[in-house]
């Protein structure tokens, strides 16, 4: 199992995951995020070691970001799955916004 390299911030936010062909989007729930990846809940049985598009917003930021994410793990969770991803393609603005969100929330928690 891969080790996390970045601080993650727990959240509960709507997001969208591209289907396996990249032709349509399915709703997922973003559970946590860092500059290096994220975790989300879904009812779809995604395949580990595949890449999918992921669209998301951050709390208090209306901009929608998009990334290519590699599925690194999947675990049964209730009636669906908890899926962990690493970002393999994400623009600098998204990384900066995630970093600002995680650091601001960490400062508020401390």
């Amino acid at each position: 199992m891969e080790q996390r390299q970045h601080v993650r911030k727990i959240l509960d936010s709507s997001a969208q995951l591209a289907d396996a062909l990249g032709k349509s989007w399915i709703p997922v729930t973003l559970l946590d995020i860092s500059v290096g990846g994220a975790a989300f809940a879904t009812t779809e049985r995604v395949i580990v070691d595949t890449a999918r598009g992921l669209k998301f917003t951050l709390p208090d930021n209306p901009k929608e970001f998009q990334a290519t994410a590699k599925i690194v793990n999947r675990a049964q969770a209730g009636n669906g799955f908890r899926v962990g991803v690493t970002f393999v393609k994400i623009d600098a603005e998204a990384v900066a916004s995630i970093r600002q969100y995680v650091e601001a929330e960490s400062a508020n928690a401390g």
Side-chain angles (χ1 to χ4, degrees):
M1 180 177 270
E2 295 182 29
Q3 293 285 5
R4 290 182 180 165
Q5 298 177 354
H6 304 282
V7 175
R8 289 190 178 218
K9 174 63 187 161
I10 295 171
L11 70 156
D12 181 2
S13 179
S14 297
Q16 295 181 346
L17 182 70
D19 69 7
L21 300 175
K23 296 190 181 286
S24 64
W25 297 87
I26 59 169
V28 298
T29 301
L30 205 54
L31 303 173
D32 67 40
I33 196 162
S34 77
V35 295
F40 59 84
T42 181
T43 56
E44 182 174 332
R45 185 182 210 83
V46 296
I47 300 171
V48 174
D49 289 329
T50 60
R52 296 280 192 99
L54 183 66
K55 293 183 196 178
F56 60 92
T57 59
L58 297 170
D60 301 324
N61 185 341
K63 180 166 175 57
E64 182 177 75
F65 298 105
Q66 188 167 340
T68 301
K70 178 183 175 188
I71 313 282
V72 293
N73 60 61
R74 179 192 73 215
Q76 189 78 39
N79 293 330
F81 302 94
R82 180 184 172 94
V83 178
V85 300
T86 57
F87 297 134
V88 294
K89 183 177 178 188
I90 187 168
D91 68 34
E93 183 183 1
V95 171
S97 294
I98 293 168
R99 180 174 285 117
Q100 181 179 16
Y101 170 69
V102 170
E103 289 175 358
E105 290 297 316
S106 295
N108 290 341

